[in-house]
Amino acid sequence: MSILVTGGAGYIGSHTVVQLLEAGELVVVVDNLSNSHQEVFNRIRTITSGELVFVEGDLRDAQLLDNIFKSYDIDSVIHFAGYKAVGESVSKPLMYYQNNILSTLTLLEVMQKHDCNKLVFSSSATVYGDPETVPITEQSPLSATNPYGQTKLMIENILKDMASADANWRIAVLRYFNPVGAHSSGLIGEDPNGIPNNLMPFVAKVAVGQLPQVNVFGDDYDTPDGTGVRDYIHVVDLAAGHLAALNKLKQQSGWQAYNLGTGKGYSVLDVINSFADISEREIPYQIAPRRAGDIATCYASVDYSKQALNWQAKADIKQIIKDHWNWQQQNPNGYKDAN
Ligand code: NAD
Ligand code: WQD
């Protein structure tokens, strides 16, 4: 029996594939490489052995998916594939609705056809919008402030409706907080196209000398130092959360959402200062205007995931930055260096 990983060539997917293989699972990845590089599979195979099949293709291609389900005995699916850039989703909403929603609908139809009913879905803390209180629990109110967030909320609701209509579905919705860091080998990590949108990869590129300085988006938030506070979770801990969720689906049917975070918040300045310490590089920064749509503080309550999934994040911010920096130093141009 195999596990199908959609978007398995991507940042979080690749780290999860490593752990699935290490756990002895047979893994089939489908990815159209729209935001990833085939080199990742050479790296994964350097880290670990095991049976890994890569099918290059688009999730919206029902025929392709049908063939995958016919060729491999797929027991469960981890669904990472989708577009994820908030700003781009505001300027190209149709592209986001088209890809994220249609991919998921196509996947669900083919799963249904082949009686495959276990699904782990990549949702996001973005579904909590601007939270009224922190830490954010799974019961906190949901809202979307941009098309990307809308796609996550819509998919969560589609999955909930599927589970209500058919009690055979077993669905874990994982709401990630801020995934950062890289595998301790430095062989796989996040490889954003162009200038990074997110803080940690941006800071890493300043540390390595590819960008001149960090723009700190606002220092007048209601936080201890005025800069935004987030819950940064090591991607390896996040990946482990997917194995815990798959395990849970063996025992429990229906739809359930889980926060995957650390429960701790760090400010933008905390991240810059820690990165400078650990990398022993100067990280120049300037205070810039707030970024549209940003919130002051976001961190998870992880009580429920701890108890229900028997999972918890282990790496602290220092370990996260150490591993992120190791990846950045070894691969200053990401996977492109491999060619
Ligand atoms: P990523 O872009 O690195 O990985 C996504 C992968 O999906 C890429 O390899 C891309 O090529 C593939 N893909 C996209 N559309 C596809 C399609 N139609 N068919 C086949 N493959 C397709 O992103 P990531 O950071 O690994 O994120 C994985 C998932 O987690 C996404 O759904 C994202 O929205 C969600 N998420 C990410 C973050 C984050 O900050 N990284 C936070 C919360 C949620
Ligand atoms: C973190 C903090 C910024 C860049 C995003 C998505 C969210 C989820 C995770 C997918 C904020 C500040 C950032 C910079 C800065 N992704 N910042 N200068 O916005 O919390 O979450 O990624 O689901 O949906 O919105 O992450 O890393 O962009 O920002 O000052 O150059 O760093 O203002 O306070 P964010 P981020």
Side-chain angles (χ1 to χ4, degrees), residues 97 101 126 143-156:
Y97 289 116
I101 304 294
T126 194
S143 70
T145 52
N146 56 69
Y148 166 72
Q150 291 283 8
T151 68
K152 291 296 176 195
L153 258 188
M154 284 179 186
I155 295 168
E156 284 203 6

Side-chain angles (χ1 to χ4, degrees), residues 11-13 15-16 19 179-183 189 233-240 320:
Y11 173 44
I12 305 167
H15 287 82
T16 306
Q19 291 185 25
V180 284
H183 191 265
I233 175 168
H234 198 302
V235 65
V236 170
D237 283 330
L238 191 66
I320 288 172

